[in-house]
Amino acid sequence: MIVRKQQGLSLSSLLVWATIITIIAIFSMKLVPVYLEHSVIEKNLTAIVNDVNAGNLDVNQIRMSFSKYAQIDNIKSINGQDIILDREHGRVNLSAKYTSKIPLIANISLLIDFEAKSNP
């Protein structure tokens, strides 16, 4: 008769792993929308740059264009006034710096600094 050692998770280790997975899931549900919004902002800046380089738009038209994109895509972090315009070698580059505040638990929040740039 061969004696085998029991294998598997104990209840305490199962609870520890469940807690860790729950914390990771909560962080993911809070962080993913912020990063998705950042990618949409960069996509919109790139689309505006392509429109600007095709025609000649002034700064106010560029900001108004971004505000329209922001309204369509439900962007709340920045608006058209936060856009920084830079002209290099006859091309327009757009960028924006902003901070997103994500409430986690009670009075604990997470601040994330973003710098969105248009990809020429």
Side-chain angles (χ1 to χ4, degrees):
M1 178 177 212
I2 299 174
V3 178
R4 293 189 182 178
K5 193 175 181 183
Q6 276 190 331
Q7 296 178 346
L9 291 175
S10 65
L11 181 60
S12 60
S13 64
L14 179 66
L15 291 175
V16 168
W17 280 108
T19 304
I20 290 170
I21 290 172
T22 303
I23 290 171
I24 290 171
I26 289 171
F27 271 97
S28 298
M29 288 189 298
K30 300 268 186 174
L31 291 175
V32 167
V34 176
Y35 280 98
L36 288 176
E37 184 180 56
H38 176 70
S39 67
V40 169
I41 290 171
E42 285 190 335
K43 179 187 68 127
N44 290 343
L45 290 177
T46 302
I48 293 169
V49 164
N50 292 336
D51 291 344
V52 169
N53 288 329
N56 289 326
L57 298 175
D58 67 351
V59 176
N60 290 330
Q61 290 173 328
I62 291 171
R63 290 186 173 155
M64 183 87 78
S65 178
F66 182 81
S67 294
K68 289 178 184 177
Y69 276 110
Q71 186 176 10
I72 292 169
D73 290 330
N74 198 21
I75 296 171
K76 304 286 185 199
S77 298
I78 63 172
N79 58 30
Q81 300 303 318
D82 298 326
I83 303 300
I84 301 167
L85 180 85
D86 183 34
R87 295 184 191 265
E88 286 184 13
H89 310 294
R91 290 196 52 92
V92 174
N93 293 319
L94 300 176
S95 63
K97 292 182 181 180
Y98 63 98
T99 301
S100 291
K101 181 179 179 181
I102 304 165
L104 292 177
I105 301 168
N107 62 349
I108 300 172
S109 296
L110 184 63
L111 291 175
I112 302 176
D113 293 324
F114 287 106
E115 184 175 357
K117 294 181 179 180
S118 61
N119 299 326

